[in-house]
Amino acid sequence: MRVAMLGTRGVPARYGGFETCVEEVGRRLARMGHEVTVYCRDGEAGHTPEHLGMRLVRLPALRRKSLETLSHTALSAGHAVRERPDVALVFNAANSPFLPLLRARGIPVATHVDGLEWKRAKWGKLGARYYRTAESLAVRWSDALISDSRGIQNYYADRFGVKSDYIPYGAPVLDTVGADGLAEYGLRAGEYHLMVARFEPENHIDLAVAGYLRSGARHPLVVVGTAPYSGAYTTRVRKLADSGSGVRLVGAVWDQRVLNQLYANALTYVHGHSVGGTNPSLLRAMGAATSVSAFDVGFNREVLGPHGAYFTDAETLAACFDRAEERPQDTLDRGRAQVAELTEHYDWDVVARGYAELAERLCSSGTSSGGGNASRSLVFSDRRAGGVRRWIRNKGVRRR
């Protein structure tokens, strides 16, 4: 098959969830013999024409929070329409206004809907309304929906009454990554706590810092990550970190070898994500056998189960830090148990086969069959296409 993957920043992946999925799935699809095209944003994917067997197409994007993804996906969809791949894998329900462009050309579309983006504070009221509407459009105009967690699958079943294909993320087991890269950060194996996340309120970095400062932890808390559009939140986190000692905000770490070493040699990993589905950074920590303390929401409990430590506020997280350092053997044992959970349920080879089987199903059924997510036809009419074009042009958000 000729498979197009669009709606993300592209590859090589750094540590965004969608980008990680595109890289890991795309490389395996290419290895299976499929022709994979990944649409990448200019300036974020180097200059090589291929990556791990995937063909890369670089297109520009408007560097504004509310328009970057949509502007790039619009150009990507236009390019894909001309090339007419056998199937399109579109990431992020926010890109749903462009699905009719693909389907009108007979290209079957599977949409990976992601988590509950409308809950993110960075979007504001208008952005939240847009995301709620985009979810409805993804349901209406996709041949299939992909949910990376049972929680997201249940959400779409409950809210829209549709089925979606459950295909989780995967993660490697990081058992032989070494530790030589730690010296750059003045760290020693087993003697620091780690958090890797974008600086956004829903990832609770401020709560993690507050919990650490409230604890009696002796080992430092290392926070990896940046946020291009969250200046005020980043400033608040920095002020909080400066109010005590032991918190190290190291910014972005793009070297994947070093990043793997940071995961694998930490005593604990703090996971504050609260609105997504199955998160790749959480799986990466599990694959590193690093004991996880996670924000207590259903998505995280679904992945970690009884092997995780959970927190809801600074006080409960402080207890997690203290307990991890007071009982190091228990902490190590919990990390090892997480590896067993990972290898049983979150294997990239199995994930890629799931995507391949879905793509083959869509290719064989055609766009007018409704795919796997609804019992009705999803044929796109010229009249509806005109309505979407007017909707995009007017930048309006209609109620569902």
Side-chain angles (χ1 to χ4, degrees):
M1 296 176 293
R2 291 176 299 119
V3 181
M5 306 178 81
L6 58 152
T8 76
R9 293 179 180 274
V11 296
R14 290 172 176 176
Y15 46 80
F18 278 150
E19 290 75 24
T20 300
C21 184
V22 168
E23 178 164 293
E24 297 297 340
V25 171
R27 69 195 294 184
R28 287 168 172 81
L29 292 178
R31 197 182 303 154
M32 294 176 193
H34 304 300
E35 297 179 21
V36 180
T37 298
V38 177
Y39 287 90
C40 310
R41 297 182 196 175
D42 269 347
E44 300 201 27
H47 302 284
T48 59
E50 290 189 2
H51 177 65
L52 299 175
M54 298 171 281
R55 171 189 170 226
L56 308 186
V57 174
R58 296 178 183 81
L59 296 170
L62 297 174
R63 301 295 177 175
R64 292 182 58 188
K65 177 177 66 175
S66 59
L67 297 175
E68 188 169 3
T69 294
L70 294 177
S71 62
H72 183 260
T73 302
L75 294 175
S76 301
H79 188 281
V81 161
R82 293 192 298 273
E83 294 209 332
R84 297 191 69 172
D86 297 315
V87 65
L89 302 177
V90 178
F91 293 79
N92 196 340
N95 293 312
S96 58
F98 308 109
L99 302 184
L101 303 178
L102 298 166
R103 299 187 73 249
R105 291 287 288 170
I107 303 170
V109 176
T111 303
H112 188 309
V113 293
D114 197 18
L116 308 181
E117 280 289 318
W118 48 269
K119 285 191 172 184
R120 294 189 184 276
K122 67 179 181 180
W123 299 121
K125 291 183 179 180
L126 182 60
R129 288 181 61 194
Y130 174 81
Y131 268 99
R132 295 296 288 264
T133 301
E135 289 179 349
S136 300
L137 298 181
V139 169
R140 185 180 306 169
W141 291 329
S142 300
D143 293 289
L145 300 176
I146 300 170
S147 299
D148 61 45
S149 79
R150 295 294 186 189
I152 295 299
Q153 187 180 46
N154 292 338
Y155 168 78
Y156 274 82
D158 294 342
R159 177 168 173 77
F160 300 105
V162 298
K163 297 179 180 178
S164 59
D165 286 81
Y166 168 64
I167 310 178
Y169 288 143
V173 175
L174 305 177
D175 54 357
T176 57
V177 297
D180 58 289
L182 301 184
E184 177 182 350
Y185 300 96
L187 300 172
R188 298 176 61 180
E191 297 184 5
Y192 62 94
H193 306 274
L194 178 68
M195 186 177 201
V196 180
R198 290 191 181 98
F199 279 54
E200 296 176 351
E202 296 77 21
N203 295 340
H204 293 104
I205 298 171
D206 53 345
L207 190 156
V209 173
Y212 175 83
L213 295 178
R214 184 173 295 192
S215 76
R218 295 174 290 105
H219 302 321
L221 171 64
V222 178
V223 181
V224 175
T226 59
Y229 303 119
S230 300
Y233 182 73
T234 301
T235 299
R236 186 162 83 247
V237 171
R238 290 191 179 280
K239 287 183 177 179
L240 185 60
D242 291 341
S243 68
S245 61
V247 179
R248 304 184 188 179
L249 307 179
V250 300
V253 177
W254 302 126
D255 187 324
Q256 296 301 300
R257 183 185 70 87
V258 174
L259 190 60
N260 284 339
Q261 290 185 359
L262 288 171
Y263 274 97
N265 291 286
L267 178 63
T268 71
Y269 181 78
V270 181
H271 186 70
H273 295 63
S274 61
V275 301
T278 302
N279 187 273
S281 63
L282 172 57
L283 297 178
R284 200 170 191 173
M286 292 172 66
T290 299
S291 179
V292 176
S293 299
F295 191 75
D296 196 356
V297 292
F299 300 126
N300 295 335
R301 282 192 176 269
E302 176 186 329
V303 176
L304 285 168
H307 310 302
Y310 299 97
F311 63 91
T312 55
D313 53 27
E315 185 176 350
T316 51
L317 179 54
C320 292
F321 282 119
D322 290 337
R323 192 162 50 247
E325 293 194 8
E326 291 167 1
R327 306 173 186 173
Q329 189 58 52
D330 290 347
T331 303
L332 292 174
D333 290 343
R334 193 154 53 85
R336 295 189 186 102
Q338 291 170 181
V339 175
E341 186 76 14
L342 179 94
T343 55
E344 182 177 358
H345 299 291
Y346 302 100
D347 182 285
W348 277 123
D349 290 336
V350 176
V351 170
R353 286 198 295 271
Y355 274 87
E357 291 168 4
L358 173 58
E360 290 166 0
R361 190 181 82 211
L362 293 181
C363 287
S364 63
S365 65
T367 61
S368 63
S369 68
N373 70 315
S375 59
R376 65 181 184 280
S377 172
L378 294 177
V379 175
F380 179 72
S381 67
D382 291 338
R383 178 177 59 82
R384 190 177 293 171
V388 171
R389 285 193 290 269
R390 288 192 298 275
W391 179 74
I392 296 171
R393 183 171 62 248
N394 296 333
K395 298 180 181 179
V397 180
R398 297 175 180 170
R399 294 186 181 276
R400 190 170 67 89

